[in-house]
Amino acid sequence: VSTQSTGGHLMPRQINQTDRDPRVAFPPDPWQVRLLDAVDNNQSALIVAPTSSGKTFISYYCIEQILRESDDAVVVYVAPSKALVNQVSAEVYARFSKNYNKSYKSVFGELTKEYGFKVFKSQVLITVPQCLEELLLSTDPKARAWKQNLKYVIFDEVHNIGEKEEGAVWERILLLIECPFLALSATIGNFNDFHSWISKTQELLETQKRRLRTNRRSYLVHLIHYSFRFADLRKHIYVPKPVVDKELRIPSVNAPENRPLATIETVHPLSSISS
């Protein structure tokens, strides 16, 4: 199907794609290339971009890199709710598979307040903030060994750090983890202030680790902001070229003479509830 037949040529798109990148199966935008470079360099990033703009792919790219690294490296995916934990678990289960030498190992594990699956035997743990905090503070030998293998943390919907009650948990996790992280959000208004705060906390951690001579990673936090959306939320309809009745030689009722060409018209959201 050609773009002209669907009206795609009439809809503006502001996409600044680069050449093909062998790391992904699509031509990435420059800001997506920066994300790929950050993960490849084991660095942290705050990603602020609208829903459907193409930021979630970096989570799965990060997971893939961890799975390729070894059979013991761990990445944690933090979701704000149990429903999102289940959704991400299903996605990871569908996307990734791996053959292990040890039969008890699993690609993904899940941990919520009500349910735990392969918590210490998985490479991709999907969990909620409260449970991750408990793991990071635990003195259990299994938890301590697990923390040594933690290579990346992905914070989805990181704007929940602003919540009155649960926001403090997100803050503490950012201070407790000893690995790079990716923090994703579509709704941070003051992202520059937020990035400044995160960067300062990482600088403090770097200073402490340097004093203890245990500085083994980069504490740089990239700010990657993108404001365009690939899939518009605005709705449009295709209005074909007016058809003239050949016998009566008059335009049809739905085809005014002052509109000689086919067009793409914007549909007002309230039109769907009007009579």
Side-chain angles (χ1 to χ4, degrees):
V1 179
S2 66
T3 56
Q4 290 192 353
S5 65
T6 58
H9 65 296
L10 301 175
M11 302 179 70
R13 292 292 182 199
Q14 301 202 18
I15 298 177
N16 186 21
Q17 290 180 332
T18 59
D19 295 331
R20 288 274 179 184
D21 192 307
R23 294 174 291 183
V24 289
F26 60 91
D29 289 348
W31 68 279
Q32 293 173 318
V33 174
R34 290 179 59 199
L35 280 175
L36 293 168
D37 292 341
V39 171
D40 287 345
N41 292 322
N42 292 317
Q43 296 173 338
S44 301
L46 170 63
I47 306 105
V48 183
T51 302
S52 300
S53 61
K55 65 178 180 294
T56 306
F57 88 97
I58 196 60
S59 301
Y60 300 117
Y61 178 78
C62 180
I63 291 172
E64 182 180 358
Q65 298 309 107
I66 296 299
L67 291 175
R68 291 179 182 274
E69 180 178 326
S70 70
D71 289 349
D72 298 315
V74 174
V75 56
V76 174
Y77 194 108
V78 182
S81 66
K82 180 181 177 181
L84 282 176
V85 167
N86 292 334
Q87 179 181 331
V88 175
S89 295
E91 189 71 25
V92 171
Y93 176 77
R95 282 175 176 262
F96 301 103
S97 62
K98 185 175 180 179
N99 293 322
Y100 291 98
N101 294 326
K102 301 175 182 178
S103 59
Y104 63 84
K105 291 288 289 187
S106 172
V107 169
F108 86 100
E110 186 176 320
L111 180 62
T112 63
K113 294 179 180 179
E114 300 81 13
Y115 176 72
F117 172 75
K118 299 279 188 177
V119 177
F120 298 125
K121 299 177 181 179
S122 60
Q123 284 196 264
V124 186
L125 178 64
I126 303 103
T127 185
V128 292
Q130 296 83 355
C131 292
L132 177 57
E133 183 182 27
E134 292 178 6
L135 282 178
L136 295 173
L137 293 174
S138 175
T139 58
D140 182 88
K142 289 184 178 180
R144 296 178 66 178
W146 175 84
K147 285 185 287 185
Q148 295 298 317
N149 293 323
L150 184 56
K151 303 300 183 183
Y152 247 105
V153 176
I154 302 168
F155 295 99
D156 197 6
E157 310 287 350
V158 73
H159 52 264
N160 282 276
I161 199 172
E163 293 292 328
K164 184 177 180 180
E165 296 181 359
E166 299 182 357
V169 179
W170 293 76
E171 292 184 22
R172 291 194 292 269
I173 292 175
L174 282 167
L175 295 173
L176 287 170
I177 58 175
E178 298 183 4
C179 63
F181 62 86
L182 299 174
L184 292 78
S185 177
T187 58
I188 297 179
N190 57 335
F191 53 84
N192 285 311
D193 295 335
F194 187 40
H195 174 253
S196 177
W197 176 81
I198 290 182
S199 297
K200 288 179 181 178
T201 61
Q202 294 300 301
E203 290 173 4
L204 290 174
L205 290 174
E206 184 178 17
T207 301
Q208 293 174 359
K209 295 299 181 181
R210 189 181 296 118
R211 290 174 180 173
L212 297 173
R213 297 184 179 181
T214 57
N215 186 14
R216 295 177 296 175
R217 70 174 178 92
S218 171
Y219 289 83
L220 175 66
V221 182
H222 296 274
L223 171 60
I224 299 177
H225 174 240
Y226 187 70
S227 57
F228 297 103
R229 185 194 305 271
F230 180 76
D232 279 327
L233 293 183
R234 293 180 300 174
K235 303 301 180 184
H236 300 79
I237 58 172
Y238 174 73
V239 182
K241 183 178 180 180
V243 178
V244 177
D245 190 308
K246 295 182 179 180
E247 294 183 0
L248 300 178
R249 295 183 180 279
I250 59 174
S252 62
V253 176
N254 296 322
E257 290 182 316
N258 60 354
R259 187 178 51 75
L261 301 176
T263 58
I264 295 291
E265 301 289 344
T266 302
V267 179
H268 193 282
L270 296 181
S271 64
S272 61
I273 60 175
S274 61
S275 57

